[in-house]
Amino acid sequence: VLARSASAVRLPSQVMLSRSRFPAQALARGFASTAARRSPPFVGPEGPWASGHRWWAAGLAAAGVAVLASQAGSRKSLDCEAKPLLVCGSLNADIIIEISRFPKKGETLGTRSPDTGIMVPGGKGANQAVAAARLSGSSRKAEFVCQFGNDSHAGKLEKVLVDNGVEIKGSGRADKPSGQAFIFLEEDGSNSILIVGGSNVAWPKEVTSFARQIRSASAVLLQREIPEYINEAVAQVAFEAGVPVIQDVGGEERSFSDAQLRRLTYICPNETELERLTGMPTDSKEKVVAAARTLQKKGVKNVLCTLGSDGAVLITADGKVLKQGCCPVPGGKVVDTTGAGDCFRSAFAVALVEGRPLQECLKFAAAAGAITVSRLGAVPSLPSRDETEALAKSS
């Protein structure tokens, strides 16, 4: 009844304005005043219409508030619809080989476990995409653009991505086998990795097929296991669209052009990579900060450097230095460090696009990384949002 009554009343112009610009109270007053003018004549305190008049006007006012609240809620849901987090990068079939030590020249050794050598999904790009999907929960989509291979690994890798809620609509198919990573895992959880590029090096010449995804992203994550011309092209599109670019330095060892550095919102090396990029020592946090500032002089806005067991340090565009220690590893034992850096950077990106304070972003990332090293494998070890939030709060 109220809805029919409200729709039957023609709103004056000032009330129509209140719907678009003024608070809900203004609309309520408008409904009430309109109702008062258009209701039946007031007969007197004891008249049959007196009570009805008051209730009718109040009902219309309430209906007005309800209508406005409904419309405001709809607008809010549209305005707050989260833009996807886009990862452009590599996808590998990781072959994990558990060893006690590396063989010497001419020596043959057995593996530490007879059941090792299994294939698990990996690749820096895939790790970050799956981490983004798990850490964002249902609030934000994670999109991944990669190049699938033409072998039996490709279907398995694609299924893992889809099963984890990663959107792969911009990805291509290469006439090459899938990329592979041979991960030599030692007893203390440290690893050494050999990478076979495969389909990861067979990208198209241009990024026009997924340029729209770049422009509509909340942020773009890049790594260095795909051709540099792709990273540069993606960063350029993002830069022109005002989309933050987060560049992981890990992957193939190569230099950055000055133009690419200027496009980067965040560059994310570890201390060894930072030393290689700058030619400066990074064996203390003070030296890390000094080296990071040389990158900022070349145009990089923010430098996020991971320091292994010493945590991480963020040097911001406005000169602040934020430090973050490691969170405790669940179970107290490091099982496998593969993918931990990828997860850390993806978690930082997730928190960043959610608008959290930078220190909170760092803590969320540290918690995600700590959970990752407590499990075997890259993609299989990546944590959920709930367990990451729980560890961050308890640390």
Side-chain angles (χ1 to χ4, degrees):
V1 173
L2 287 176
R4 283 201 303 271
S5 300
S7 62
V9 178
R10 182 176 179 179
L11 299 179
S13 59
Q14 68 268 27
V15 178
M16 294 299 292
L17 285 172
S18 73
R19 288 183 63 184
S20 60
R21 296 189 325 208
F22 301 150
Q25 294 91 331
L27 181 60
R29 287 195 299 270
F31 268 109
S33 62
T34 301
R37 288 196 301 272
R38 301 204 177 210
S39 58
F42 185 80
V43 179
E46 306 300 326
W49 291 92
S51 177
H53 165 266
R54 288 192 296 271
W55 282 106
W56 192 69
L60 283 178
V65 173
V67 169
L68 183 60
S70 173
Q71 291 176 343
S74 298
R75 285 196 300 272
K76 183 176 181 181
S77 66
L78 289 173
D79 293 342
C80 296
E81 184 176 352
K83 292 182 178 181
L85 192 59
L86 176 63
V87 181
C88 298
S90 59
L91 173 67
N92 287 332
D94 286 357
I95 312 299
I96 301 176
I97 304 170
E98 298 177 53
I99 61 173
S100 298
R101 64 176 178 84
F102 282 96
K104 298 176 181 178
K105 185 176 181 179
E107 183 181 23
T108 300
L109 290 178
T111 58
R112 182 158 44 93
S113 167
D115 300 322
T116 193
I118 60 172
M119 188 280 282
V120 296
K124 295 184 75 64
N127 295 343
Q128 292 185 359
V130 173
R134 292 183 183 177
L135 293 167
S136 297
S138 59
S139 63
R140 185 183 308 274
K141 288 183 179 180
E143 296 182 347
F144 182 40
V145 177
C146 67
Q147 297 299 305
F148 289 102
N150 62 0
D151 57 0
S152 60
H153 289 317
K156 298 174 184 176
L157 296 172
E158 181 176 350
K159 184 178 187 304
V160 169
L161 292 170
V162 173
D163 288 350
N164 277 279
V166 177
E167 174 60 62
I168 57 172
K169 63 184 178 182
S171 297
R173 305 274 171 182
D175 190 22
K176 284 182 179 291
S178 300
Q180 296 183 72
F182 295 90
I183 301 171
F184 300 95
L185 181 63
E186 300 185 61
E187 289 186 82
D188 63 356
S190 61
N191 61 56
S192 300
I193 304 173
L194 286 175
I195 292 176
V196 180
S199 59
N200 292 317
V201 300
W203 284 68
K205 296 296 182 183
E206 298 178 342
V207 300
T208 51
S209 62
F210 58 94
R212 186 173 181 178
Q213 286 177 261
I214 301 170
R215 296 188 187 100
S216 61
S218 57
V220 175
L221 283 78
L222 300 171
Q223 322 80 39
R224 314 202 84 192
E225 291 181 341
I226 62 174
E228 189 64 13
Y229 74 86
I230 292 294
N231 279 344
E232 294 218 357
V234 170
Q236 180 63 28
V237 173
F239 181 76
E240 291 174 353
V243 175
V245 179
I246 302 172
Q247 173 75 66
D248 186 341
V249 178
E252 186 178 331
E253 184 176 339
R254 57 199 182 206
S255 60
F256 284 96
S257 69
D258 288 344
Q260 180 71 346
L261 290 174
R262 289 191 292 270
R263 299 178 187 120
L264 304 181
T265 314
Y266 286 83
I267 191 168
C268 306
N270 60 29
E271 71 270 42
T272 302
E273 292 160 346
L274 181 60
E275 180 178 358
R276 189 176 71 235
L277 282 175
T278 63
M280 298 175 65
T282 57
D283 53 352
S284 70
K285 288 185 179 179
E286 292 73 23
K287 291 177 181 178
V288 165
V289 171
R293 295 203 190 282
T294 66
L295 289 179
Q296 290 179 317
K297 289 178 181 177
K298 293 184 177 181
V300 175
K301 297 175 182 63
N302 305 276
V303 181
L304 173 56
C305 185
T306 49
L307 307 171
S309 60
D310 290 328
V313 60
L314 172 62
I315 300 88
T316 68
D318 59 0
K320 294 178 182 176
V321 177
L322 304 179
K323 298 177 182 179
Q324 174 63 49
C326 291
C327 290
V329 176
K333 180 183 178 182
V334 175
V335 175
D336 183 3
T337 59
T338 308
D342 301 329
C343 185
F344 178 95
R345 293 172 184 99
S346 186
F348 179 84
V350 167
L352 183 71
V353 298
E354 289 177 357
R356 303 192 195 192
L358 289 175
Q359 193 69 61
E360 187 178 330
C361 294
L362 289 171
K363 192 168 189 179
F364 185 72
I371 296 169
T372 301
V373 302
S374 71
R375 303 167 179 168
L376 182 66
V379 167
S381 70
L382 300 172
S384 69
R385 183 182 181 93
D386 288 346
E387 60 184 335
T388 303
E389 293 279 24
L391 180 58
K393 288 178 181 177
S394 66
S395 298

